[in-house]
Amino acid sequence: MQTSLNTSKWYDRIWAAFLFFTRLPLWRLHEPHRDAYQTVVEFWPLVGWLTGGIMAATLWFGSLCLPYSVAVLLAITARVLLTGALHEDGLADFFDAFGGNGNDRQRILEIMKDSRIGTYGVLGLVFYVLLLYLTLSALPPKLAALTILAADPYAKMIASQLIMMLPYARNEQTAKSHTVYRRMSIPAAIGLSLQGMLPIGLYLYYFRDLIDWQYVVFVPCLVMYFLYMFINKKLRSYTGDCCGAVFLLIELSIYLTIIVLTSLLQTS
């Protein structure tokens, strides 16, 4: 018998999150009720434990038997395959939509829904992948792998705040995924925070003599604030593409911050 969102089990909602954010064929085992997909953002950082873990494992074990540059490229590829390039697609649409359309809200929404990719999207993806590749390649394998494990859930935790700060731009019928995320309750927000903060907390404790925790914690929040201000000014609402793009850009800011901090430590 179908259950409503209010009575659906917590594991049903978690299952829906893994189905939504990855391409794993978990639907063969169980298909949660459609309403459970409204809560997938509440477990987005938990999915990051898996996507970040597979990416980190690919990088670490790949570096043991392959040139490090190849291991980094394989790690990036592994996450793209695992997620079906869901977030990268959002990033491309984000760059296309906001690249040259001024404050035309309707045009921005139309481009985000268009499956075709334009010049801004191509350039944005190329620069993003190059920066991601170069930043991970600049870190030692162990540090890079552990940073991925911490950065993926933490960036998703921060990016998920977008659904609390802005209204959704469409309705369930016109949304690309036909899903409208619900705003989080206080218990859901606490759970989300634990999912994102636990990995980054353990990471910062482990590298407490190498990395200043304040920068790693607050620089991504600052990036989130400026992206929120930009999206709010242009769109006055958010879409799923915005969430995916914000996540990737925040995650990238974490890697860049780690590189700056470790470089300054080496030169001091």
Side-chain angles (χ1 to χ4, degrees):
M1 184 176 67
Q2 291 183 339
T3 59
S4 67
L5 181 60
N6 292 329
T7 60
S8 60
K9 302 296 184 180
W10 59 268
Y11 54 80
D12 226 28
R13 302 176 191 179
I14 293 176
W15 201 266
F18 279 90
L19 277 169
F20 189 85
F21 290 116
T22 74
R23 291 298 175 264
L24 296 175
L26 299 175
W27 52 268
R28 294 179 181 272
L29 302 175
H30 174 62
E31 178 62 54
H33 186 259
R34 181 67 192 172
D35 287 344
Y37 288 90
Q38 296 176 17
T39 67
V40 293
V41 174
E42 298 173 14
F43 300 100
W44 196 13
L46 186 62
V47 178
W49 291 20
L50 174 66
T51 56
I54 289 180
M55 186 177 178
T58 303
L59 186 148
W60 171 250
F61 289 109
S63 68
L64 299 178
C65 56
L66 294 168
Y68 186 49
S69 58
V70 176
V72 171
L73 186 59
L74 288 176
I76 296 172
T77 303
R79 189 172 71 173
V80 169
L81 292 175
L82 181 62
T83 63
L86 177 67
H87 307 313
E88 288 76 13
D89 177 68
L91 185 67
D93 288 341
F94 181 86
F95 281 120
D96 269 336
F98 291 107
N101 294 284
N103 296 313
D104 189 344
R105 182 177 185 274
Q106 190 56 42
R107 181 58 180 155
I108 290 173
L109 289 174
E110 289 175 359
I111 292 176
M112 280 192 175
K113 200 170 183 180
D114 194 336
S115 59
R116 295 170 296 180
I117 185 171
T119 302
Y120 285 102
V122 171
L123 291 175
L125 274 180
V126 169
F127 284 125
Y128 163 75
V129 173
L130 280 175
L131 270 175
L132 180 61
Y133 172 81
L134 292 173
T135 51
L136 292 177
S137 298
L139 297 173
K142 180 180 178 180
L143 178 58
L146 292 177
T147 303
I148 292 169
L149 278 173
D152 190 318
Y154 185 60
K156 285 171 178 171
M157 183 199 77
I158 298 175
S160 65
Q161 303 309 309
L162 206 59
I163 73 170
M164 301 295 290
M165 302 164 75
L166 292 169
Y168 194 68
R170 302 187 177 98
N171 55 44
E172 189 171 344
Q173 287 70 39
T174 58
K176 286 171 66 174
S177 61
H178 299 294
T179 299
V180 175
Y181 311 131
R182 75 169 188 179
R183 288 178 175 268
M184 284 178 274
S185 63
I186 292 178
I190 293 173
L192 179 89
S193 299
L194 290 174
Q195 297 165 40
M197 292 301 296
L198 181 59
I200 198 75
L202 293 173
Y203 170 83
L204 292 173
Y205 179 78
Y206 184 79
F207 290 111
R208 59 190 179 279
D209 297 327
L210 178 66
I211 297 170
D212 290 330
W213 68 270
Q214 299 95 327
Y215 296 100
V216 180
V217 170
F218 292 114
V219 167
C221 294
L222 191 62
V223 172
M224 170 65 184
Y225 173 74
F226 284 113
L227 288 171
Y228 155 72
M229 293 294 290
F230 177 77
I231 295 170
N232 185 43
K233 179 181 178 181
K234 297 283 187 178
L235 198 57
R236 301 184 302 281
S237 55
Y238 79 93
T239 66
D241 288 332
C242 291
C243 292
V246 168
F247 154 62
L248 291 180
L249 295 175
I250 290 174
E251 183 192 38
L252 186 60
S253 75
I254 297 174
Y255 299 142
L256 291 170
T257 301
I258 297 298
I259 287 178
V260 171
L261 293 175
T262 53
S263 298
L264 289 175
L265 185 65
Q266 291 172 0
T267 57
S268 62

